[in-house]
Amino acid sequence: MTDDPGKIIIVEGLTDKKQIKKVITEKLDIVCTNGTLGVEKFDELLEIYDLDDREVYILVDEDSSGIKLRRQLTRELPHAEHMHVSGEYREVAATPEHDIAVELAGKGIKVNPIFLQ
């Protein structure tokens, strides 16, 4: 279990995580699912990251695997807040930093202001 009960963002892959890390200034956890989650893997994440008691944000690709993962996470974490990338880019990793920063800032996550210009 983590010591920080703060915010956590759930993404699909490492490239998504890297894209988000470029723009945030706030200390928070970013967890990669590497696609859909099995019951055991989800239960492990639930326990390790104390997902029931944290501010959880979901930012996944706007493709079939991302939509499937979003549905699964919605069922398992009904308190989670959802963020979306434009269908124009479809993938978090392909979304410009400005657009990522705007989406994150809209949820109260601190971002480097240079990306909001």
Side-chain angles (χ1 to χ4, degrees), residues 17-31:
K17 181 176 180 174
K18 288 179 181 177
Q19 188 72 340
I20 292 168
K21 285 187 112 178
K22 287 180 192 176
V23 302
I24 61 171
T25 58
E26 182 172 345
K27 183 182 180 219
L28 50 76
D29 289 320
I30 303 172
V31 176

Side-chain angles (χ1 to χ4, degrees), residues 77-116:
L77 299 167
H79 70 284
E81 292 196 45
H82 294 267
M83 297 185 282
H84 298 271
V85 296
S86 168
E88 176 184 355
Y89 304 111
R90 290 183 47 112
E91 298 177 356
V92 174
T95 301
E97 288 92 350
H98 168 79
D99 292 15
I100 296 284
V102 168
E103 187 68 18
L104 294 170
K107 294 294 184 181
I109 296 171
K110 295 179 181 123
V111 297
N112 186 329
I114 195 165
F115 293 110
L116 296 174

Side-chain angles (χ1 to χ4, degrees), residues 51-101:
L51 297 178
D52 284 332
D53 297 316
R54 294 181 72 182
E55 287 182 58
V56 179
Y57 298 88
I58 299 168
L59 181 57
V60 295
D61 297 344
E62 294 295 328
D63 59 12
S64 60
S65 63
I67 292 166
K68 183 178 178 183
L69 177 61
R70 185 182 298 280
R71 280 191 203 122
Q72 178 184 10
L73 291 171
T74 298
R75 281 191 306 271
E76 302 293 341
L77 299 167
H79 70 284
E81 292 196 45
H82 294 267
M83 297 185 282
H84 298 271
V85 296
S86 168
E88 176 184 355
Y89 304 111
R90 290 183 47 112
E91 298 177 356
V92 174
T95 301
E97 288 92 350
H98 168 79
D99 292 15
I100 296 284

